Amino acid sequence: MVLVSPKTLLPRFWSTAWSVGLAGKSLAANTLKIRMRHLGAFYGFCDESFGDDSLDAVLSNRDVQMLRRMVEAFYLHLTEAKTYTSTTVQRWDAVRVFVADVLRQLAVGIDELYLLSSSIQSIGRIREPQRGGFKFARALPGATLKDLLVVADPSSTRNPAKDYRVRWRNWLIVHLLLLVGLRRGEVLLLSIDSLKQDVDSETGEWVRWLDVTTTEDEDSRATRPSIKTAESHRQVPVSEDLAILYERYVSEYRVPSENHAFLLTARGGAPLSAESVNTMLEGLTEALGDSEKARFHERTGGKKHISPHDLRHTCATARYRAFIQHQPDRELALQRMRAFFGWSVKSTMPDLYARAAIQDDLVRTWNVLFDERVQNLRGVMP
């Protein structure tokens, strides 16, 4: 295809080309008219946010990074509102199909454009509005997550816990919620021998996982934790660093008890309660910087404290992005999400996180900052 110089392009060049060539032959006239109206809104958004005629110029120049920014910014623009209509759903579908179609035409010999086309399709659809309002599972903002890890670090002077044993226990809980995405009840059901490891017969490498299931131990807690569904009984892979942290807590900081083998214990040795996990996260939230707390408050619609499920939301958002980057197949990524987080095969929960996964600041923080923190802690491990 011979491209016209961006400076000589007619306004709305690519949407016009799409309508008369790629889509015009298969769509009814009225449907095409509605689609073009939605694309006009996308063009207008890009003009206002990135400069006049910027979308046509970016497509013509095959600027992959800028186009990704435009599409993701428009997606966030559509989904950040507390309420939306069916028009919002139709608008995103029209833009998603348009960009993917044009990219496929431009992608000959350019792998980046092909991958971008697949990833745009993988973002998924915005659900139709339902009675009772739209609930969007939001991940922690990157700045809030970063400060939370600073505060929760056992060596931090901002850590609200005074007892060093408690600090290490809480640090492990944060890891289990945020890196493994366990539910609060699943964390509390872990035992000292839930961590397993073996040698992969094909690769010869060590593999490590957590058995997430019930236990035979008698549970004296007033609020007894439980496994949510049959699919929630599962084995979840964990990294070597998390396995080391797990084992160090068991050997050095866990308060032992002859009455049970639950992993997490209170100061007296009793199984840790669900209320204690909530209280721990409330204390960490209060210790955050003012701006980081404000970002969290704004992102979550006014919540005052980080909850265990907020960390699970954050993990799921980042996990989806990691799955789709590894292999740009949306359905396969959703299947992996269901297996990893213990959802049924028909669960629509992964769709929520597919939409949230375009928050790049979260992904960078989640992938990099934890590695740095754990490496620092390994430096003081015997």
Side-chain angles (χ1 to χ4, degrees):
M1 179 182 292
V2 178
L3 296 177
V4 181
S5 170
K7 294 183 179 179
T8 64
L9 287 177
L10 297 174
R12 310 296 192 260
F13 173 84
W14 284 107
S15 62
T16 303
W18 178 78
S19 67
V20 300
L22 300 176
K25 297 179 181 179
S26 59
L27 296 179
N30 189 55
T31 301
L32 182 58
K33 181 179 179 180
I34 295 173
R35 294 279 182 90
M36 294 300 290
R37 188 181 303 129
H38 292 317
L39 296 185
F42 181 43
Y43 268 89
F45 172 82
C46 292
D47 287 347
E48 182 177 350
S49 302
F50 301 94
D52 293 343
D53 300 327
S54 56
L55 178 57
D56 277 341
V58 165
L59 283 169
S60 297
N61 291 328
R62 306 186 186 191
D63 188 338
V64 176
Q65 297 304 321
M66 181 57 71
L67 181 58
R68 184 187 297 276
R69 284 183 56 194
M70 287 178 167
V71 173
E72 293 183 350
F74 188 64
Y75 183 86
L76 287 177
H77 169 71
L78 293 177
T79 58
E80 67 185 0
K82 294 182 179 179
T83 59
Y84 69 98
T85 66
S86 58
T87 300
T88 306
V89 179
Q90 296 169 4
R91 180 153 297 171
W92 171 245
D93 282 345
V95 169
R96 190 166 63 107
V97 171
F98 160 71
V99 174
D101 282 352
V102 172
L103 284 176
R104 278 193 291 270
Q105 298 300 311
L106 298 175
V108 178
I110 304 178
D111 291 340
E112 282 185 293
L113 289 177
Y114 175 78
L115 292 175
L116 178 57
S117 174
S118 299
S119 66
I120 287 173
Q121 290 284 12
S122 72
I123 291 175
R125 299 176 180 272
I126 300 175
R127 287 184 177 181
E128 292 286 350
Q130 298 178 355
R131 186 171 58 185
F134 176 57
K135 183 178 181 181
F136 185 35
R138 302 304 298 263
L140 294 182
T144 304
L145 173 58
K146 182 176 181 179
D147 201 40
L148 173 65
L149 298 180
V150 171
V151 171
D153 189 319
S155 62
S156 174
T157 57
R158 297 168 58 195
N159 194 311
K162 304 303 180 184
D163 190 314
Y164 211 56
R165 285 176 176 255
V166 173
R167 288 189 175 196
W168 278 92
R169 182 200 67 196
N170 294 348
W171 183 237
L172 175 60
I173 293 173
V174 169
H175 275 70
L176 293 170
L177 294 171
L178 190 51
L179 290 185
V180 191
L182 298 183
R183 299 177 178 92
R184 182 185 63 179
E186 293 170 348
V187 171
L188 295 174
L189 281 173
L190 292 175
S191 65
I192 57 176
D193 60 355
S194 291
L195 176 65
K196 311 292 186 182
Q197 59 183 359
D198 200 356
V199 177
D200 189 311
S201 59
E202 295 184 1
T203 65
E205 298 178 348
W206 282 96
V207 291
R208 300 164 182 83
W209 69 91
L210 288 176
D211 282 341
V212 181
T213 187
T214 54
T215 176
E216 299 297 327
D217 283 22
E218 183 177 349
D219 199 334
S220 60
R221 288 172 282 200
T223 305
R224 295 184 180 180
S226 61
I227 295 295
K228 188 175 182 180
T229 64
E231 291 80 5
S232 299
H233 297 269
R234 62 197 189 280
Q235 294 180 329
V236 184
V238 297
S239 67
E240 178 185 3
D241 288 327
L242 182 52
I244 291 173
L245 177 57
Y246 193 108
E247 292 171 341
R248 182 177 186 186
Y249 166 74
V250 171
S251 63
E252 296 185 34
Y253 301 112
R254 179 182 178 272
V255 179
S257 173
E258 297 180 355
N259 300 321
H260 68 87
F262 290 112
L263 173 69
L264 301 170
T265 56
R267 291 183 181 180
L272 192 67
S273 68
E275 294 76 14
S276 295
V277 176
N278 292 345
T279 301
M280 177 269 290
L281 287 174
E282 289 174 6
L284 293 177
T285 306
E286 291 298 324
L288 295 175
D290 291 340
S291 62
E292 288 75 19
K293 280 191 287 189
R295 289 286 299 278
F296 169 74
H297 183 80
E298 179 183 3
R299 171 69 63 83
T300 57
K303 287 186 64 174
K304 294 182 179 180
H305 298 111
I306 296 171
S307 70
H309 227 65
D310 290 326
L311 301 185
R312 179 173 163 88
H313 289 328
T314 304
C315 178
T317 300
R319 284 286 178 185
Y320 176 83
R321 185 61 177 265
F323 287 150
I324 208 68
Q325 285 181 338
H326 176 70
Q327 187 171 353
D329 183 328
R330 184 172 186 272
E331 289 306 314
L332 179 58
L334 296 183
Q335 292 175 20
R336 288 173 172 169
M337 291 281 286
R338 293 185 181 101
F340 191 93
F341 291 96
W343 293 312
S344 71
V345 293
K346 296 182 179 180
S347 174
T348 59
M349 285 300 295
D351 293 315
L352 295 176
Y353 301 109
R355 293 200 298 275
I358 62 177
Q359 300 172 55
D360 286 331
D361 64 324
L362 161 68
V363 177
R364 285 195 298 269
T365 301
W366 193 84
N367 284 341
V368 176
L369 189 59
F370 255 113
D371 289 343
E372 294 175 350
R373 289 267 154 208
V374 174
Q375 288 297 331
N376 290 340
L377 289 175
R378 287 186 70 181
V380 298
M381 291 181 182

